[in-house]
Amino acid sequence: MVTQAPPQAPAEPSAGQVARRRWRSSRGIVGVLFALAVIAVVLAALRPTGSNEQLDPTSAKRDGTRAIAELLKQRGTPVTVARHASEAAAASTPRSMLVVSRSERLTDADIERLRSTPGDLLLLAPGRDVLAVLAPGVTSAGPSFEETSDPGCEMPFAKLAGRVKFGDSQTYDDPDEGVGCYKAAGSPRLVSLIAGNRSVTVVGSSGFLTNEHLDEEGNAALAMGMIGVPPSVIWLIPDKPAAGSGAGDKTITDMVPFGVWLFFLELVVTVLLVAAWRARRLGPVVAEALPVAVRSAETVEGRARLYRAARARDRASDALRSGARERIVPLLGLPRGSAQDPASMHEIVAAVAVRTGREEAYVGAALYGPEPADDAGLIALTDVLDDLERQVRQS
Amino acid sequence: MALTGRLGLLALLGALVPLLVPSWWTLLALWGVLLLGVVADLALAGNVRALRFHRTGDTSVRLGQSATVTLTVENLGRRRLKARLRDVWPPSAGATPRTARVDVPAGERRRVEMSLTPTRRGDRRAITVVVRSVGPLGLAARQLSRPAPWTVRALPAFPSRRHLPAKLARLRELTGAHVALIRGQGTEFDSLREYVDGDDVRSIDWRATARRGDVVVRTWRPERDRRIYLVLDTGRTSAGRVGDIPRLDCSMDAALLLGALASRAGDRVDLLAYDRRVRTRVEGASRTDLLPAMVHAMAPLEPELLECDAAGMVSTLMARVRQRCLVVLLTDLNTAAIEEGLLPLLPQLTARHLVMIAAVADPRLGEMAAGRGDLAAVYDAAAAERARADRRRLTAELRAHGVEVVDAPPDEIAPALADAYLALKAAGRL
């Protein structure tokens, strides 16, 4: 029987190589996950941090507006806080001043309701739809990041207030009617106009009214000036519209165009078609019974591990010694059977001692001695036996 | 029927259409177009049902070599057929190419050559032939799977046949011209002939000399027409791998060399493979048929994972062979298996036959026994010494029963067994 040279077993890869290989195979996924994490962190950081109490005249927090409300009260102007547009509309009188904050929470119906109120309006950073209804003719002209601004107009309260620190703010196109103040790059931040029979003031920033910023530059003066001295101030800060109240009950699915639905339906069909394409194979999968692969020496290896687990130095040393005797005895010219025969112990020891020039006690201890005391002794015994065998062979 | 990737691609591109024209009708029209394309393709694709398959080619191949099997595709339909064809074989048949393109005009035949290089011994059956014919638009295909049975038998590689010339030369030394010169090479009386200078005077036949008035010597020749019974043990011990080859394959190789040699030497060779029942049997094959018969009988044999039933084996042997023969048992010198199974039955067997046990030794034992240095290696060495001692003891015990034991590593077992046979023959012990 010709045995092919056993195929070279691939060298066991080191831990470093394994780690490198795993890194190579997974770095794409790790990179994508890392990028996703970075994007998530950035998005979270960019999220607007407005709280529920922002611009709330009852809130004493940094972003509340209790300071301005208190100032107005000290001056003798009562401030009514309206939490809904209908409340504000009900409280509104022809001479009152309605401050509209957080106008993004107003529904279309709310805005319509506000349009029919009689009093003056102060719109704080209004949205596009609010502008269109309540301040016709005013259009937004992009944001400005200049912190402070000078009045640059003839409005008396603006001239009185002087320099104001708006922070980030919206600007508006210079209106055809009305007055624009606090311009940045030609576009005013504050527009005052007459709409119908009332005065409407639009200001592109609400931050300068907050408790935190009210004391800076001429902020407070501008605020007081814009509100003026009406008999009453109604501060509208709408609650979030409840679900089903008209606006906001459009879910995202209502807003998806019909064509996109059909697109996704067609994609589903495509996936099914591709699945059908890939699932149909050219011929069956062939299963085959494989032969068992049992190494012939497996039982011997198992016995070796059992010896080691049980620290069976006695069995191991016996086996090693008898194996060595088995090889030495024919070299001495003694009958083969005497290797395992205790009776011929002295004969063998003497013969080996003569051949190797070692002492009989040494040879006897090596070939017939007691079990080694420890593992080092067992390893040493193999060396001694190998030595004796080699010396007998060479003598 | 099968769909193609092109259909999926078209459907994907078509998904853009409802974005432009958002309407149910657009989508339905799109699906209608795709469906129409599929139906047209299925209608216009080559008719795979009208195909007939025929096979010719090799039915057996020696392991490690390649067989060629030709698949003839006959198109009985009225249209030309262009298709992709896959001849499905088990993985160990090593069939290439995996798929082939065929283009068969109506009423004609085309051949597809398959090359099979089996990786394991045994029968490899063709499973089926699958044909896929894609329509002109490339959207859908007709597919059909139809069996086209064929079996290729992978025969044992018999690598030890390279030892055969040397062993035959030795055999010729025993039987050939040298017989006249060297007395005692054979034990069977052959003929008488005149004395020539150099002949051993002890071989002079005085009775014939007296009759003829001339000095006549007897010539001898080795015995012929002896019976040799090869017994393969296919039980669990034959499954163990020595190196990377199952012990059974090594035993087969040795059996083949011995069979080839003995049949040339004029002996009758029979084969039996046994574990708990008769796996295969070759009996009464003529000299020229023996080797092919043995090889074919051995090809599908696989080791069975059960204990060999020695009693059954011995009784089968005793029942089948009445006259004295050489029983060569190819097994493993496994202490437990032999001592409990075969040893008690040996006297029965040796009383009538000459028994020889050939066992494949594992070189790994030698490697382990030479292990030194650390504790694990030393315990390995101790276990290996213990195993070798067991094997020696068993060998001695078997020899005490008058059994010849041949114990050699896998690359030497076949020549060693042949040598043992030649030695027996030379000694006239058959």
Side-chain angles (χ1 to χ4, degrees):
Chain A
M1 182 84 206
V2 178
T3 49
Q4 294 137 356
Q8 285 290 313
E12 199 74 17
S14 70
Q17 284 170 321
V18 170
R20 219 168 300 138
R21 198 184 57 215
R22 291 202 178 141
W23 164 241
R24 260 203 304 279
S25 60
S26 61
R27 63 184 164 190
I29 298 167
V30 170
V32 167
L33 288 180
F34 183 74
L36 282 180
V38 167
I39 290 171
V41 167
V42 167
L43 284 181
L46 287 179
R47 214 175 58 123
T49 48
S51 70
N52 255 343
E53 298 179 8
Q54 195 187 0
L55 297 179
D56 190 335
T58 59
S59 166
K61 290 190 180 166
R62 282 160 169 265
D63 55 354
T65 49
R66 187 160 165 188
I68 181 86
E70 288 298 321
L71 282 179
L72 288 169
K73 274 181 198 162
Q74 279 172 22
R75 207 171 59 180
T77 312
V79 177
T80 316
V81 178
R83 299 282 174 190
H84 196 270
S86 56
E87 278 177 46
S92 176
T93 63
R95 296 198 49 216
S96 66
M97 165 58 93
L98 175 58
V99 181
V100 181
S101 63
R102 309 293 300 271
S103 62
E104 72 274 8
R105 289 180 175 178
L106 293 173
T107 63
D108 289 348
D110 291 339
I111 298 171
E112 276 308 313
R113 210 168 279 153
L114 291 181
R115 199 230 294 260
S116 55
T117 56
D120 292 345
L121 286 176
L122 170 59
L123 307 179
L124 300 178
R128 215 176 277 263
D129 42 354
V130 176
L131 267 187
V133 175
L134 297 183
V138 180
T139 48
S140 97
S144 158
F145 300 102
E146 277 178 49
E147 286 271 294
T148 56
S149 183
D150 289 318
C153 69
E154 291 303 316
M155 290 295 286
F157 62 80
K159 278 172 88 172
L160 270 175
R163 203 176 167 79
V164 168
K165 185 174 180 187
F166 284 104
D168 298 345
S169 133
Q170 187 67 36
T171 63
Y172 302 97
D173 291 324
D174 226 346
D176 302 334
E177 300 165 18
V179 188
C181 299
Y182 298 103
K183 294 189 181 177
S187 307
R189 289 185 173 86
L190 187 147
V191 175
S192 181
L193 71 159
I194 305 296
N197 49 6
R198 62 178 171 184
S199 134
V200 176
T201 309
V202 179
V203 60
S205 164
S206 57
F208 74 102
L209 286 174
T210 57
N211 298 338
E212 187 181 6
H213 297 294
L214 195 65
D215 60 341
E216 291 167 7
E217 302 283 356
N219 291 5
L222 179 67
M224 297 300 283
M226 284 194 301
I227 293 168
V229 278
S232 70
V233 170
I234 305 150
W235 194 293
L236 172 61
I237 172 156
D239 288 331
K240 280 181 191 164
S245 65
D249 51 354
K250 258 183 151 182
T251 57
I252 187 157
T253 48
D254 295 334
M255 287 186 256
V256 174
F258 183 56
V260 174
W261 286 117
L262 295 182
F263 170 76
F264 279 111
L265 184 59
E266 175 63 14
L267 277 192
V268 169
V269 171
T270 305
V271 166
L272 292 179
L273 288 178
V274 170
W277 164 46
R278 297 311 300 166
R280 184 84 163 116
R281 46 173 68 250
L282 192 59
V285 176
V286 183
E288 188 178 18
L290 291 174
V292 287
V294 191
R295 272 170 301 125
S296 168
E298 212 162 57
T299 49
V300 180
E301 284 163 5
R303 189 199 291 271
R305 282 194 285 272
L306 281 179
Y307 276 169
R308 190 144 64 105
R311 305 195 174 283
R313 285 187 291 273
D314 50 346
R315 303 289 177 118
S317 58
D318 272 357
L320 289 168
R321 280 171 172 145
S322 74
R325 290 201 300 269
E326 198 72 50
R327 286 188 294 274
I328 288 175
V329 160
L331 299 172
L332 298 173
L334 296 170
R336 221 173 239 282
S338 63
Q340 309 306 337
D341 186 4
S344 46
M345 172 177 130
H346 293 295
E347 196 183 353
I348 293 174
V349 169
V352 171
V354 168
R355 293 282 288 267
T356 59
R358 301 256 189 185
E359 288 169 26
E360 279 197 22
Y362 175 82
V363 174
L367 289 180
Y368 290 94
E371 85 175 82
D374 52 9
D375 292 340
L378 185 63
I379 296 175
L381 175 67
T382 60
D383 295 338
V384 169
L385 291 174
D386 284 351
D387 267 355
L388 282 182
E389 194 185 329
R390 198 184 59 248
Q391 284 171 0
V392 170
R393 211 176 279 279
Q394 286 169 352
S395 63
Chain B
M1 179 188 143
L3 302 177
T4 64
R6 193 181 288 183
L7 182 68
L9 191 65
L10 271 186
L12 184 66
L13 291 177
L16 298 176
V17 177
L19 282 184
L20 303 175
V21 190
S23 149
W24 279 109
W25 292 112
T26 328
L27 204 57
L28 289 178
L30 180 68
W31 289 346
V33 167
L34 291 182
L35 188 65
L36 207 64
V38 169
V39 169
D41 257 353
L42 288 179
L44 296 175
N47 186 6
V48 285
R49 288 190 184 282
L51 290 183
R52 296 290 177 271
F53 300 117
H54 314 278
R55 279 192 202 268
T56 50
D58 301 336
T59 51
S60 63
V61 60
R62 187 170 278 159
L63 194 62
Q65 294 176 344
S66 293
T68 307
V69 175
T70 307
L71 178 72
T72 308
V73 184
E74 184 181 11
N75 186 0
L76 298 178
R78 282 169 299 170
R79 267 182 291 146
R80 185 190 197 90
L81 176 114
K82 286 185 184 178
R84 208 145 67 89
L85 177 144
R86 180 178 165 215
D87 194 2
V88 188
W89 289 83
S92 67
T96 51
R98 191 173 177 277
T99 63
R101 297 209 161 273
V102 286
D103 182 357
V104 196
E108 295 192 19
R109 300 173 168 218
R110 289 290 180 271
R111 292 197 299 180
V112 178
E113 301 254 315
M114 296 295 294
S115 165
L116 276 75
T117 315
T119 51
R120 276 188 290 122
R121 200 165 35 74
D123 287 347
R124 298 287 167 265
R125 289 187 176 80
I127 292 171
T128 183
V129 177
V130 186
V131 187
R132 177 182 287 185
S133 169
V134 180
L137 298 175
L139 297 181
R142 288 202 210 176
Q143 181 167 329
L144 178 84
S145 164
R146 182 166 283 174
W150 193 259
T151 303
V152 171
R153 175 164 282 192
L155 306 173
F158 192 16
S160 69
R161 65 184 180 279
R162 68 199 161 89
H163 295 292
L164 193 57
K167 302 302 167 199
L168 285 175
R170 269 206 59 201
L171 185 69
R172 271 194 297 277
E173 274 176 33
L174 294 178
T175 57
H178 304 278
V179 170
L181 300 176
I182 309 159
R183 185 181 181 273
Q185 279 286 14
T187 47
E188 203 171 67
F189 175 70
D190 186 25
S191 61
L192 294 169
R193 63 168 172 77
E194 284 179 16
Y195 177 85
V196 268
D197 280 353
D199 277 349
D200 190 342
V201 288
R202 285 176 297 179
S203 64
I204 294 171
D205 186 332
W206 294 109
R207 196 187 299 263
T209 305
R211 255 200 315 268
R212 289 268 294 271
D214 195 3
V215 184
V216 169
V217 291
R218 285 183 194 171
T219 57
W220 306 87
R221 61 163 199 186
E223 320 108 311
R224 295 176 67 86
D225 297 320
R226 296 303 143 117
R227 209 165 165 194
I228 297 180
Y229 218 103
L230 300 169
V231 182
L232 275 176
D233 170 8
T234 57
R236 66 174 176 87
T237 53
S238 69
R241 286 181 182 237
V242 181
D244 197 31
I245 302 165
R247 187 169 264 131
L248 180 64
D249 286 33
C250 302
S251 301
M252 280 182 185
D253 192 46
L256 283 173
L257 183 65
L258 181 56
L261 186 62
S263 66
R264 302 279 183 97
D267 291 329
R268 289 172 49 206
V269 181
D270 299 319
L271 173 77
L272 174 74
Y274 198 94
D275 41 69
R276 297 197 81 80
R277 61 182 180 82
V278 177
R279 289 282 160 199
T280 190
R281 192 157 54 201
V282 177
E283 277 177 351
S286 73
R287 234 180 95 174
T288 47
D289 293 345
L290 177 75
L291 216 53
M294 277 176 75
V295 159
H296 274 275
M298 283 176 179
L301 282 184
E302 290 293 335
E304 298 289 326
L305 292 187
L306 26 86
E307 189 71 50
C308 181
D309 172 19
M313 189 199 305
V314 169
S315 61
T316 309
L317 261 181
M318 299 300 273
R320 301 207 69 82
V321 244
R322 300 266 163 222
Q323 85 228 56
R324 178 182 158 82
C325 68
L326 170 66
V327 174
V328 181
L329 179 56
L330 294 129
T331 180
D332 180 30
L333 289 176
N334 181 297
T335 325
I338 298 264
E339 278 184 348
E340 284 168 26
L342 189 66
L343 217 50
L345 305 163
L346 263 184
Q348 198 186 342
L349 204 57
T350 49
R352 198 191 292 169
H353 304 299
L354 178 60
V355 180
M356 183 188 273
I357 289 182
V360 182
D362 192 348
R364 172 89 182 111
L365 275 193
E367 285 169 27
M368 284 173 71
R372 293 290 183 269
D374 64 349
L375 199 60
V378 167
Y379 277 120
D380 273 1
E385 289 289 4
R386 167 84 192 270
R388 290 212 289 203
D390 284 349
R391 215 172 163 92
R392 267 197 302 269
R393 190 171 46 74
L394 191 62
T395 308
E397 211 167 335
L398 288 171
R399 289 207 168 114
H401 278 85
V403 175
E404 297 286 325
V405 180
V406 179
D407 185 8
D411 47 348
E412 288 163 27
I413 181 74
L417 184 61
D419 284 342
Y421 161 77
L422 288 174
L424 283 180
K425 202 162 182 65
R429 285 184 57 199
L430 287 183

